[in-house]
Amino acid sequence: MALDHHDATNSVHSTTARGSEDATLSAAEMQEQLDQFTHIMQQKFLLGEDYEHLDYSKIDNDQTLDDHWQREANHDAEEKYFAED
């Protein structure tokens, strides 16, 4: 079941409102709430919607991060090559 950002956010808000009626949640319900929250926050990050907390231009313009990524990719390729022997 795919939720778009607004559906997921509305679901969390309605659950929070209901939470004042139901004082406690089961462990499974708490985990579901945490999973929903984590998913929403990951989507906000990936979509750039948390720009007020993170300056994406610093990440996008940092060439050293690209260098690190390239070294990691090369290392992974070497490991894969030698693991095939």
Side-chain angles (χ1 to χ4, degrees):
M1 177 176 132
L3 292 175
D4 70 13
H5 168 70
H6 297 292
D7 288 342
T9 303
N10 290 338
S11 173
V12 170
H13 288 296
S14 66
T15 304
T16 304
R18 189 185 75 223
S20 61
E21 297 168 8
D22 302 332
T24 59
L25 296 173
S26 70
E29 291 170 322
M30 285 293 277
Q31 186 60 50
E32 182 179 334
Q33 290 292 317
L34 180 59
D35 292 345
Q36 273 187 334
F37 175 76
T38 302
H39 176 75
I40 290 167
M41 295 310 294
Q42 287 171 339
Q43 292 304 308
K44 287 178 72 91
F45 174 79
L46 294 173
L47 295 171
E49 293 178 357
D50 59 351
Y51 57 86
E52 65 271 4
H53 304 290
L54 182 65
D55 184 0
Y56 285 94
S57 66
K58 288 182 181 179
I59 297 169
D60 292 340
N61 297 325
D62 187 346
Q63 296 299 320
T64 63
L65 296 174
D66 294 337
D67 295 340
H68 175 74
W69 172 252
Q70 187 61 41
R71 283 192 305 273
E72 289 291 320
N74 288 339
H75 180 73
D76 291 347
E78 287 176 11
E79 283 186 359
K80 182 179 177 186
Y81 174 79
F82 289 114
E84 292 175 355
D85 283 344

